[in-house]
Amino acid sequence: MKVTFFDSKPYDIASFEKYDRQNGLEFRFYETKLNEDTVNLAAGSDAVCVFVNDTVNAAVIDALYKNGVRLIALRSAGYNNVDVKHAFGKIHVVHVPAYSPYSVAEHAMALLLTSVRRIHKAYNRTRDNNFSLNGLIGFDLHGKTVGVIGTGKIGRIFADICHGFGMNVLAYDKYPSESSFIKYLPLDELLEKSDIVSLHCPLTEETRHLIDSAAIARMKKGVVVINTSRGALIDAEALLEGIKQRQIGAACLDVYEEEADIFFEDRSGHILADDVLARLITMPNVIVTSHQAYLTTEALDSIAKTTVENIVSFINGDICENELCYRCGNIEHCKKERKNKCF
Ligand code: NAI
């Protein structure tokens, strides 16, 4: 089975290489992203392996199908970039529902600590022999209230970490889970009561711009906003305005709505065309990492292992637990009752 990888970086290739030419698999790696212009690179492949910023819309799916591709293997948990409904009946779609939720939750806490203790400033200062403390006053996390939006695998671990720091943990989730220390509230109340708001829900039509100007207006003045989930959960222009108005005290962003053509690439010799991102980056209270939260050795190993298992399961004609199926419209959860293959 020939598998064409898109958006593959050296660290992806390193984690997948050991599976090449094993179990009947043959890999071909491209650094370019999958989109309507590059889709023909998949010609002759049985499967494509894609990541979060590849475009797998209806047109790309039709072109893949025409080229003989029968499997889309996502190397990610999120699948908002794939038109799963359009793929149904043509191309099977598998994903990696969990690899290391710790990687993302720990990155969210790393960003929060960096921000509130001004580590990003101190690091640059001491490298320049500037040992002044002026302007570096932080605040204790202990006793503060964090609002966690989405308490699935990652959000729950982030909540545990915050609990360990002695923070009060509020949460909002469409499907609240049992917890001895998390207090679930309606979204508006969570926004009003939280010193820190961290996003861990998926990007759907319902959650797009969940954090808009109205939501920001409800937040406490000086709130710290963390987004390690998907960029479009936040209206970036509203966020920028909230920062300029001093309503938002700090923002920690691992994802950005328009990241697809920017993140994962070295753009240091280029003029950044995105004015909102360019302005956000200039802010002393904004920290941006380029969709790096997942990037740990443990996560990369686990992504490669599960992706290969998903592909091998497809080759063997097995029911793959990680298939995203649109049969009942309940994309991820219907597999729990599935007795036969999706289609
Ligand atoms: P999960 O599926 O375990 O948890 C998602 C939670 O969000 C669930 O509890 C669900 O009930 C809740 N939810 C769904 N719709 C909601 C809504 N409208 N409002 C409030 N809550 C809602 O997913 P997991 O593994 O925790 O991942 C969360 C997100 O993190 C992913 O969707 C992905 O976008 C992002 N992610 C980011 C990474 C990065 O490197 N920055 C890496 C991996 C995931």
Side-chain angles (χ1 to χ4, degrees):
M1 183 162 187
K2 291 197 173 75
V3 185
T4 297
F5 286 66
F6 287 89
D7 203 8
S8 43
K9 298 284 185 282
Y11 44 85
D12 297 310
I13 297 170
S15 59
F16 274 94
E17 247 171 3
K18 61 175 175 285
Y19 299 104
D20 196 7
R21 304 194 183 260
Q22 309 281 325
N23 294 305
L25 297 175
E26 196 182 319
F27 295 159
R28 185 165 52 176
F29 296 99
Y30 286 112
E31 193 168 346
T32 184
K33 291 187 180 64
L34 175 62
N35 55 42
E36 285 165 55
D37 297 327
T38 61
V39 65
N40 285 337
L41 291 170
S45 306
D46 308 284
V48 291
C49 187
V50 300
F51 199 47
V52 293
N53 287 328
D54 289 301
T55 306
V56 198
N57 58 18
V60 168
I61 288 167
D62 288 342
L64 288 171
Y65 187 64
K66 214 170 114 199
N67 276 320
V69 172
R70 294 296 175 264
L71 179 71
I72 296 165
L74 279 151
R75 306 195 289 278
S76 59
Y79 47 86
N80 53 284
N81 55 327
V82 180
D83 189 340
V84 180
K85 190 174 186 180
H86 192 80
F88 184 65
K90 301 186 192 83
I91 304 184
H92 294 262
V93 184
V94 290
H95 74 146
V96 183
Y99 33 96
S100 169
Y102 302 99
S103 63
V104 183
E106 288 174 14
H107 191 77
M109 181 47 88
L111 287 172
L112 176 59
L113 283 170
T114 303
S115 174
V116 302
R117 301 310 303 270
R118 318 282 187 255
I119 303 296
H120 54 308
K121 301 263 154 212
Y123 175 77
N124 283 332
R125 277 193 193 180
T126 53
R127 285 167 66 87
D128 202 24
N129 291 344
N130 176 354
F131 301 102
S132 157
L133 296 181
N134 292 331
L136 297 186
I137 301 171
F139 63 80
D140 291 3
L141 289 180
H142 185 269
K144 295 295 182 301
T145 298
V146 62
V148 181
I149 300 181
T151 50
K153 292 178 282 298
I154 296 169
R156 182 56 208 249
I157 293 166
F158 182 71
D160 286 345
I161 294 171
C162 291
H163 182 59
F165 271 72
M167 301 167 80
N168 307 311
V169 183
L170 305 179
Y172 167 70
D173 195 299
K174 262 186 106 172
Y175 309 97
S177 53
E178 289 291 310
S179 166
S180 58
F181 66 86
I182 298 175
K183 186 173 176 200
Y184 283 92
L185 291 177
L187 180 60
D188 285 351
E189 249 183 273
L190 175 146
L191 296 176
E192 285 159 15
K193 292 187 169 150
S194 300
D195 301 299
I196 295 137
V197 172
S198 194
L199 300 173
H200 300 285
C201 60
L203 175 63
T204 62
E205 276 319 304
E206 201 182 342
T207 60
R208 184 174 297 275
H209 288 188
L210 187 79
I211 304 301
D212 57 9
S213 47
I216 291 169
R218 282 191 176 275
M219 292 180 187
K220 276 188 175 179
K221 195 170 171 60
V223 63
V224 179
V225 176
I226 309 167
N227 189 5
T228 56
S229 190
R230 285 292 181 270
L233 293 175
I234 298 182
D235 176 346
E237 290 190 26
L239 179 79
L240 179 58
E241 196 49 37
I243 292 166
K244 283 171 147 172
Q245 300 299 329
R246 316 288 195 273
Q247 168 72 358
I248 292 177
C252 304
L253 309 174
D254 185 54
V255 285
Y256 174 67
E257 186 166 7
E258 303 297 333
E259 71 180 49
D261 292 329
I262 304 169
F263 282 14
F264 304 144
E265 309 298 333
D266 179 359
R267 302 259 171 227
S268 50
H270 296 244
I271 307 289
L272 194 54
D274 187 316
D275 288 347
V276 175
L277 180 62
R279 186 79 172 95
L280 281 169
I281 288 172
T282 65
M283 297 287 184
N285 52 354
V286 175
I287 299 175
V288 176
T289 52
S290 58
H291 210 132
Q292 167 189 342
Y294 77 101
L295 198 68
T296 65
T297 307
E298 292 80 358
L300 287 170
D301 286 349
S302 175
I303 288 170
K305 184 170 176 289
T306 306
T307 303
V308 168
E309 283 167 3
N310 288 344
I311 298 171
V312 170
S313 153
F314 177 78
I315 298 176
N316 295 339
D318 297 336
I319 298 171
C320 178
E321 278 304 305
N322 298 329
E323 177 155 7
L324 298 168
C325 168
Y326 212 86
R327 180 178 291 283
C328 59
N330 190 6
I331 300 182
E332 222 176 316
H333 298 288
C334 72
K335 64 177 174 255
K336 298 193 173 66
E337 287 135 40
R338 206 184 306 150
K339 299 272 186 299
N340 301 309
K341 271 186 81 65
C342 194
F343 59 86

